Amino acid sequence: GENVEQHPSTLSVQEGDSAVIKCTYSDSASNYFPWYKQELGKGPQLIIDIRSNVGEKKDQRIAVTLNKTAKHFSLHITETQPEDSAVYFCAASYNTNAGKSTFGDGTTLTVKP
Amino acid sequence: NAGVTQTPKFRVLKTGQSMTLLCAQDMNHEYMYWYRQDPGMGLRLIHYSVGEGTTAKGEVPDGYNVSRLKKQNFLLGLESAAPSQTSVYFCASRLRGNQPQHFGDGTRLSIL
């Protein structure tokens, strides 16, 4: 089955700096790659996603890049703010598999004021 | 719209007791999922459903059962709770494959 590895497990940055989280996946059939943000005591919430027919997607301070050949995708957060502090999860899935997603183990991002 | 609602939010059980966790969604989504989240291990799929009346096993199904009698509800049952089932349980739904999942806020379950 699919295996998703996420790095780093913890990341600490100064407010205003950029943060990058990377994920690799194993199944070349995967074609949908969402990123979720989980705040303390809450469920994960989608922040951005990318499909395999696109190499990059941006939404204000957040961007995701996908390299299908290398089977890795990354989340980029620019101009970080304290409210960006949370746990971030990447995931991979393909639509012929009941939409089952395989999640990375998460990255705890701390933005220091 | 409430989205995905999980009941209860917290529960403490004794070993061997049974209970049912309820998940309800009001978005008319076809697919529903139950995950458990343990420290440092991300989200692991327990069971899932691709439509009313259908269920299937995920990655870690042992010790759990599910039912989806109505499209909007997905129930997770623990027949005989064990300390290893202490976890945070999340329900999620999606319209169909390769669409974003919508998560509830979780049920924090402790088994003594």
Side-chain angles (χ1 to χ4, degrees), chain A:
Chain A
E2 175 67 277
N3 182 50
V4 175
E5 294 188 357
Q6 182 172 346
H7 299 280
S9 57
T10 60
L11 180 60
S12 182
V13 299
Q14 288 294 134
E15 183 177 358
D17 287 350
S18 295
V20 180
I21 303 170
K22 298 181 179 180
C23 288
T24 60
Y25 62 99
S26 61
D27 192 339
S28 57
S30 290
N31 56 9
Y32 177 63
F33 307 94
W35 285 90
Y36 294 90
K37 177 184 181 182
Q38 185 178 25
E39 297 178 337
L40 198 61
K42 298 289 187 181
Q45 283 199 307
L46 180 80
I47 54 171
I48 196 167
D49 57 7
I50 192 167
R51 300 180 191 279
S52 58
N53 58 347
V54 176
E56 184 173 359
K57 184 177 179 181
K58 191 173 181 181
D59 182 4
Q60 298 182 340
R61 296 187 296 109
I62 295 173
V64 57
T65 58
L66 171 65
N67 183 325
K68 285 176 56 181
T69 303
K71 296 199 192 78
H72 67 71
F73 56 111
S74 300
L75 176 70
H76 304 253
I77 306 174
T78 59
E79 300 172 21
T80 54
Q81 301 166 3
E83 50 266 38
D84 293 330
S85 296
V87 180
Y88 291 81
F89 291 97
C90 63
S93 66
Y94 55 97
N95 59 6
T96 56
N97 192 26
K100 289 187 292 180
S101 296
T102 301
F103 288 83
D105 287 342
T107 295
T108 301
L109 174 64
T110 303
V111 180
K112 293 185 263 188

Side-chain angles (χ1 to χ4, degrees), chain B:
Chain B
N1 285 349
V4 178
T5 302
Q6 291 185 234
T7 310
K9 296 187 187 306
F10 304 93
R11 187 73 184 267
V12 178
L13 290 178
K14 293 181 179 178
T15 298
Q17 288 185 318
S18 63
M19 78 162 296
T20 301
L21 282 65
L22 172 64
C23 175
Q25 53 95 2
D26 61 2
M27 298 170 282
N28 202 34
H29 284 174
E30 289 293 334
Y31 294 1
M32 297 187 73
Y33 309 85
W34 275 108
Y35 295 93
R36 60 178 288 172
Q37 184 176 39
D38 301 296
M41 297 186 71
L43 292 153
R44 292 185 292 167
L45 183 64
I46 304 171
H47 286 280
Y48 64 98
S49 168
V50 297
E52 181 179 313
T54 73
T55 62
K57 294 180 180 179
E59 181 186 356
V60 288
D62 293 343
Y64 306 94
N65 56 75
V66 288
S67 65
R68 191 155 175 216
L69 300 179
K70 294 183 179 180
K71 185 177 184 179
Q72 63 269 32
N73 295 338
F74 196 27
L75 278 62
L76 178 71
L78 284 72
E79 293 180 342
S80 179
S84 60
Q85 294 177 305
T86 293
S87 189
V88 182
Y89 292 86
F90 287 99
C91 175
S93 70
R94 71 201 315 173
L95 183 62
R96 54 183 176 273
N98 279 10
Q99 295 292 320
Q101 293 189 58
H102 297 253
F103 286 84
D105 282 338
T107 294
R108 284 144 187 84
L109 182 62
S110 292
I111 297 157
L112 307 177

